[in-house]
Each structure stands twice: as structure tokens, then as C-alpha cells.
Amino acid sequence: MDASSERALSRLKEIDSEIHVLSGASALLGWDQETYMPRGGLANRGEQSALLEGLAHDRLASAETAALLAALGCADAEPSGDPSLPRPERLYLRAFHRAWARAAKLPGEFVRERAKAVAHSQAAWAEAREKNDFPSFEPHFQAMIAFARREAAYLGFERDPYSGLLNQYEPGMTEAPVAAVFEELKAGLASLLSRIGSRPQIDDSFLHRHCPEERQEAFSRRIAGILGLDPGRSRLDRSAHPFTTTIGPGDVRITTRYLEDYFASSISSTIHETGHALYEQGLPEAWFSTMAGDAASMAVHESQSRFWENVVGRSLAFWKARLPELRECVGPALDGIGPEEFYRAMNKVEPGLIRVDADEVTYSLHIVLRFELESALVSGALEPSGVPSAWKAAMERILGIVPADDAMGCLQDIHWSLGLVGYFPSYALGNLYAAQFAERMDADLGGIEAIIERGEQARLLDWLRRKVHSKGSLHTPSEIVADATGAPLSPKPFLEYLERKYAGIYGFSTVSPPYSS
Ligand code: ZN
């Protein structure tokens, strides 16, 4: 590398590190807002967060950053920069250029106008949901969809606007392949669901026995440690909606919630968020505080949380190993319950109205529904005013149940009120990635069930560290999946995993599935 490239690169990394310092501070404010901040802090906190986010955006979209990238040979046609640069630096530049290109294409005026509108929209949504009053949210919803369409146009996706929105969460992904994968997923899940529905239902009533918060918290702390979360570099707190946030290298925080009449909720939430945090703790140290040291995508992030929550934390092997520890913590709530019974209860399948409460089989159907509606909203085939009735019709068609009102229907999720359009597919793609990783890991390690039952889950983490975490954003999600599993993204491993698992739990024989090809 010549001296001038070296200087440009080192200045670029300096700017990158400042952007990460600003976003870490912003994350800390967000964490505090969801955990300990008194209500009175809300208005001022909004201003603090908006200022920090604006500063980070300005740093990224600045004329200096553009000049540095140009000096390093980065352009839309050559995002990795000058071909003579060393490969790791070129991978870094590609990740930086991706973030920069999006930010630089959005006019500052648009970003500020939208940020202001989002604050009002979120407040209007919260009230509309509480009062079950969709019409009061509708003008804000219309504004958010209009922003989404404008954003896609700024990004150069006039012809395929949904893809422009989708690939900010999932770099490189476009609408058509997601639609194709979701069609296959929908057919496979519908078939599985009808076979499950023909069998006697599981009794999971013991999961609703009273269990005090402090007992659940004791288990949450224990299980996070068992799974490998480093307590010297993390925290566990509580919040209404569980989440994970990274303040900086060495400080990843998770939250969970404790429902005294449903202790299974904190078990799933804690394991899920631990999965997110393990990923953050495994990102490449050499690239900390740079775009290359960030997670590869929302879906890859979700694949990590769902791998631990579902593939591990909802397996029989895991509860054969861990039920004694859970019993020690939760006490009488588990009287008379063995690992088999616990496993079956944790895997009860039942179509419901609410996405976040859904089981492993129906969850992705909730996502397919949102994807179909979003896609129609962005293309203009559906207007926001038509969403309440389109939602009910889609619920009936996809899950066979209909919400009585909009609070339990199209108003249940916060995403659209924040202008997050194109985000939902990440959740279902995460399920697919998780199953595909698990299938390959199983082959590589010679059977993960026996490993889980022996309590050697550190070996699973080691596999994920090597194949996924350590890649950061140096590689795209499709490269990570192809390198780790030898195949492109496919719904088959997920459908086959569910087929095997639920045939065992509900007692039906596996049929030759309609999705096999
Ligand atoms: Zn998650």
C-alpha cells in the first residue's frame, strides 16, 4: 500500500471509530430509556438521541468521507476500492462504502423531516393501539409509507422500491428471491400446521403456575452464563420488550421480562437475547468500532438468537441436561414435571393473533403476512386505509383465525409507525439461516443433540464463532451462508427440522413433504 492510500485509510478508520463512539452513546441513551429512565425524561431524551444520530449521519455523509473513499478508488462499480489494496482492507472498504452510499444518497433535509415525523407517528401509534383506533393513526401511517417510497427512489430503486428498503437490513437481498422463498415456506408450514391440528393438543397449563420474579431472574442469570455470555462484558436487566444493545466492545447489554403467571416467557426471552449478545461478543476484535466489525445483517443476527432459543433451548436434549438447574431456581412451579413433559409444553403449537407470542411453526407465517402487505403498500397496490381489512383477510387465509379488532391485528407491531418497512422479513430469514447453520453444524460436529445433552454447548458456540461471528461485516450474509453451509439460502433445512421435531412431539408420521424437490 502506498503512503497516500495508507493515510487515507487511517483517516477513514478514525472517522469510522467516531461514528461508532456516537452510535454507542446513542445506544446507551436508548438502553437507559427502556430500563431506568423516569417518564419525565422522555422529551429531552428524544432531543439527545436525535442530536447524536444526526452527528453520526453527518460524519458518515460528509464531503471528507466522500473524498477519502474516492482517493481509495471506491465507486459504485468498485465498492472495494483500488484492486491493489490488501484483501482485508478491500473487504473493509466494501462494508464502509455500503453504509456510506445509502447515507450519502439521502438528502439531509429528508432525514431530518422523517426523524421529526417518526416521533409523532410513534406516539400516535401507541395511543391508537391502546384505544383500538386505527383512523387516528392512519395519516401518520400514510406519511411513513410515503417516506419509504421516497427513500427507495433516492436510493435508485424506483423500479423495485421494496428491494431498496429490504437491503438496508439484509445487504444484497432483493424482493423476488424473498417472495419465492416465502411461497415455499408458506406451503410447507401450512401442510405441517394442518397435520399438527389433526392431533390431540398438548397440555401446557403447568407453565402458568405462579413463579416469583426473583426465582426466574436467578435462572436467567444462570442460563446466560451457561450458554457462554461473559458477565464481565455484559449486563442483564429487565424491560417491557426484551432487547439486546451494544454500547461498545466489552459492553453488550440484554434485557428480559418476568411474567409471574408464565415463567416460560423469561426462559425463551433470556436465551433469545443471549444469542444476540453472544454474536456481538464474537464479532472480529481486529475490526472493533468499524463498519467491518458490525453484525452482517438483521437476519444473521436473528439467526443467532433463534438458534439458541429454538434449536438449542427448545430441544429435548437441552432440558434433559438443564431441567435440574431450572428446578433448583423456579422451585414448586416444576413439581411433578419431567424433561419430556417440559419439552412438549415448550413446543406447543397453536395459531394465535400476536406475532411475538407465536410458536416456532406459526411464527414465520406472521412474517409472510406482513411481507405481503408491506410489499403491496410500497408498490401502491394497497393503501394504508385498506390495511385493517387486508390484515383480517390475510390472517384468515394464512393462519385460519381473524382478530376481532385492529389492536390485536394491524396495530400490534411498532415497526411501521417508526417507518421500518422491509424489516419484517429479517425475522423469518433468521429462522431459515439458523436451521441451515444447524444442519451443517450437526454434520460437522457429528450430532449436536448428544453434544447439547452432555452440556458441551461451548462447541456449538465455537462453530458459530468461526463460521459466522468472526466474519463481522467483512462478508455479506449470502457469502457467510454459502461459506458456512456450502449452499445458498433455502427454506428446506428449516422445514425438514420442523417436520422431524413436530412429528415426534405430536405423534404423526412424516409424509413426503410437498416442498421436496
Ligand atoms: Zn431477536
Side-chain angles (χ1 to χ4, degrees):
M1 211 184 328
D2 61 37
S4 75
S5 296
E6 212 156 307
R7 269 199 308 277
L9 202 55
S10 118
R11 176 61 189 142
L12 195 70
K13 286 183 186 168
E14 221 171 83
I15 293 172
D16 199 350
S17 155
E18 286 172 6
I19 293 168
H20 280 79
V21 167
L22 287 166
S23 54
S26 181
L28 180 56
L29 292 182
W31 171 84
D32 175 64
Q33 184 174 333
E34 300 299 321
T35 50
Y36 298 108
M37 188 185 80
R39 267 177 100 90
L42 201 58
N44 189 240
R45 181 54 45 88
E47 278 177 42
Q48 293 168 330
S49 301
L51 179 61
L52 287 181
E53 276 159 37
L55 289 173
H57 179 266
D58 292 347
R59 283 275 195 292
L60 181 57
S62 72
E64 186 190 8
T65 308
L68 290 166
L69 286 169
L72 288 159
C74 293
D76 283 349
E78 188 60 86
S80 314
D82 189 335
S84 69
L85 293 170
R87 185 172 144 79
E89 309 301 340
R90 280 172 56 78
L91 293 174
Y92 164 64
L93 285 173
R94 184 176 64 158
F96 192 100
H97 183 270
R98 189 165 51 233
W100 171 81
R102 287 196 75 87
K105 281 176 188 153
L106 300 180
E109 190 48 44
F110 170 79
V111 172
R112 279 185 288 278
E113 193 192 330
R114 185 176 55 180
K116 265 190 225 156
V118 163
H120 294 293
S121 169
Q122 185 188 353
W125 164 79
E127 207 180 319
R129 184 170 80 155
E130 211 178 293
K131 296 183 177 156
N132 183 34
D133 178 15
F134 178 82
S136 70
F137 173 58
E138 196 190 312
H140 299 275
F141 189 16
Q142 257 160 6
M144 289 301 127
I145 296 300
F147 281 121
R149 291 175 185 158
R150 270 170 72 194
E151 181 177 13
Y154 285 131
L155 295 171
F157 283 85
E158 289 92 344
R159 291 235 183 120
D160 185 10
Y162 192 80
S163 295
L165 303 170
L166 179 66
N167 81 31
Q168 68 184 309
Y169 307 109
E170 202 54 21
M173 190 63 90
T174 55
E175 182 176 10
V178 172
V181 162
F182 281 6
E183 274 307 307
E184 208 176 331
L185 187 60
K186 194 163 63 170
L189 292 176
S191 149
L192 181 57
L193 200 53
S194 79
R195 277 171 291 140
I196 289 173
S198 71
R199 302 291 304 155
Q201 188 51 289
I202 289 166
D203 175 12
D204 69 343
S205 53
F206 69 87
L207 294 178
H208 297 275
R209 289 177 188 164
H210 182 81
C211 181
E213 285 188 14
E214 56 278 12
R215 284 180 172 272
Q216 297 186 45
E217 185 177 348
F219 185 71
S220 280
R221 293 195 180 283
R222 193 134 152 197
I223 199 68
I226 285 170
L227 296 179
L229 196 63
D230 176 352
R233 300 195 297 143
S234 63
R235 278 190 64 88
L236 169 67
D237 293 88
R238 60 181 72 188
S239 65
H241 303 282
F243 67 95
T244 300
T245 194
T246 296
I247 315 300
D251 187 357
V252 179
R253 304 186 182 192
I254 64 172
T255 67
T256 192
R257 66 171 166 195
Y258 305 111
L259 307 177
E260 295 206 321
D261 59 354
Y262 188 47
F263 65 95
S265 170
S266 70
I267 298 174
S268 309
S269 294
T270 303
I271 298 179
H272 181 98
E273 301 307 332
T274 298
H276 281 305
L278 289 171
Y279 182 23
E280 290 285 319
Q281 291 190 339
L283 289 166
E285 234 171 294
W287 295 99
F288 269 166
S289 289
T290 76
M291 300 290 178
D294 291 341
S297 74
M298 294 311 306
V300 174
H301 229 305
E302 207 57 23
S303 76
Q304 299 308 295
S305 54
R306 278 158 204 273
F307 173 81
W308 291 102
E309 179 193 353
N310 293 330
V311 179
V312 178
R314 283 197 166 84
S315 69
L316 180 57
F318 187 71
W319 291 110
K320 279 183 181 165
R322 300 297 165 193
L323 202 67
E325 281 151 310
L326 179 62
R327 200 185 299 285
E328 229 175 82
C329 294
V330 307
L334 272 176
D335 279 356
I337 305 297
E340 291 268 353
E341 209 174 345
F342 188 72
Y343 164 68
R344 287 165 52 78
M346 288 292 278
N347 287 291
K348 180 181 175 183
V349 172
E350 193 167 47
L353 297 171
I354 303 297
R355 174 184 63 90
V356 297
D357 296 336
D359 56 75
E360 233 183 330
V361 175
T362 57
Y363 186 90
S364 299
L365 293 171
H366 287 270
I367 300 305
V368 170
L369 175 149
R370 285 155 179 75
F371 167 73
E372 290 179 0
L373 296 186
E374 275 189 346
S375 164
L377 279 166
V378 173
S379 75
L382 174 66
E383 288 304 320
S385 57
V387 166
S389 58
W391 186 284
K392 287 176 182 158
M395 277 298 288
E396 170 127 62
R397 177 166 50 82
I398 297 175
L399 278 150
I401 48 172
V402 182
D405 59 37
D406 297 330
M408 298 291 276
C410 67
L411 285 173
Q412 66 182 270
D413 295 311
I414 193 172
H415 304 61
W416 290 338
S417 78
L418 300 175
L420 299 176
V421 180
Y423 186 110
F424 280 120
S426 305
Y427 295 117
L429 294 173
N431 282 332
L432 305 187
Y433 287 148
Q436 201 164 327
F437 290 141
E439 184 184 65
R440 185 51 187 250
M441 187 193 288
D442 192 66
D444 284 356
L445 302 181
I448 58 175
E449 265 181 52
I451 293 174
I452 295 169
E453 200 174 331
R454 288 198 301 272
E456 295 171 2
Q457 61 285 332
R459 291 178 60 197
L460 313 187
L461 179 58
D462 173 66
W463 190 97
L464 292 170
R465 289 261 192 260
R466 282 185 288 114
K467 307 277 184 175
V468 182
H469 302 182
S470 60
K471 313 281 180 182
S473 273
L474 289 162
H475 297 277
T476 63
S478 55
E479 289 166 355
I480 291 172
V481 172
D483 286 352
T485 70
L489 172 68
S490 157
K492 289 187 183 65
F494 180 59
L495 289 170
E496 283 164 10
Y497 150 78
L498 292 179
E499 181 81 24
R500 268 194 317 277
K501 178 171 176 177
Y502 290 93
I505 292 172
Y506 277 89
F508 55 82
S509 54
T510 55
V511 295
S512 167
Y515 47 83
S516 67
S517 55

